[in-house]
Amino acid sequence: MKKILLPALAFVTLSACEDIWNREGVGFTGIDGEPRTIVESREAAGFVASRDSVPAELAGLTTPQLLTEETDPAKVAGVAIDNGGRVPGQAVEIGGDRQTLMLSTVSVNNVLYAVLRTPEGAADRMDVSTGPQFAASIPRLTGCLIGGNVYQKGTSSLRTSGFAAPLNCR
């Protein structure tokens, strides 16, 4: 009897808080995991994927497997940025606030990184404020959780050529 009453009591208690068919709140981000509106997603992420299926397109790309003797996490991320895709076929094109950006994955020392770079031939570099926006967008863009800090290429406090963040895809 306890096996039936306890789950029923939990269901009734939780459903009393809100309509059970209202799929808003923690864990519900809209239809098929997409943001509810484009405006909402731009404000939250800083940029919107130019296509609806970025995680699927990203999974279809070859991920370079690299080894380095570097042990400093920032230098290992720098290797990932240096080898991140900058052309279609090696990266997925996503739309930025002011420019097109390229998203790819690179494995360095068996750690998978999401890499965001400017396209090949682009004269502009990214604003460093793109880093936190990139970090917030990683689950939506890659289908994985962020597994650490976001690293930038270079030491400039204003502009960078790329960002890398380790992924936790388990």
Side-chain angles (χ1 to χ4, degrees):
M1 190 69 166
K2 288 181 183 178
K3 291 181 181 180
I4 295 172
L5 288 178
L6 189 56
L9 181 62
F11 177 76
V12 169
T13 303
L14 292 173
S15 65
C17 298
E18 184 67 43
D19 178 18
I20 62 171
W21 306 117
N22 182 7
R23 300 292 190 200
E24 294 179 4
V26 177
F28 295 101
T29 58
I31 299 171
D32 296 327
E34 291 298 316
R36 294 185 204 296
T37 66
I38 297 296
V39 172
E40 195 176 297
S41 125
R42 280 193 180 129
E43 291 170 0
F47 45 81
V48 178
S50 58
R51 296 178 201 98
D52 293 334
S53 59
V54 172
E57 289 180 36
L58 194 60
L61 298 175
T62 303
T63 299
Q65 305 287 327
L66 306 169
L67 293 174
T68 182
E69 293 179 2
E70 297 291 346
T71 56
D72 179 34
K75 290 183 179 181
V76 173
V79 171
I81 294 168
D82 287 340
N83 291 279
R86 297 183 78 183
V87 295
Q90 295 177 350
V92 176
E93 186 177 301
I94 59 175
D97 284 337
R98 294 178 282 286
Q99 67 188 126
T100 299
L101 303 172
M102 304 302 282
L103 176 69
S104 61
T105 55
V106 177
S107 178
V108 182
N109 295 346
N110 294 322
V111 176
L112 185 64
Y113 286 87
V115 177
L116 186 68
R117 295 188 71 183
T118 55
E120 186 172 40
D124 290 341
R125 298 173 73 155
M126 287 183 279
D127 188 65
V128 294
S129 67
T130 306
Q133 297 168 347
F134 174 53
S137 300
I138 284 178
R140 183 177 53 82
L141 293 173
T142 65
C144 299
L145 297 175
I146 189 167
N149 295 328
V150 174
Y151 299 95
Q152 76 177 36
K153 180 73 175 172
T155 58
S156 172
S157 61
L158 300 175
R159 309 293 280 168
T160 184
S161 61
F163 293 98
L167 297 177
N168 178 2
C169 297
R170 296 178 190 177

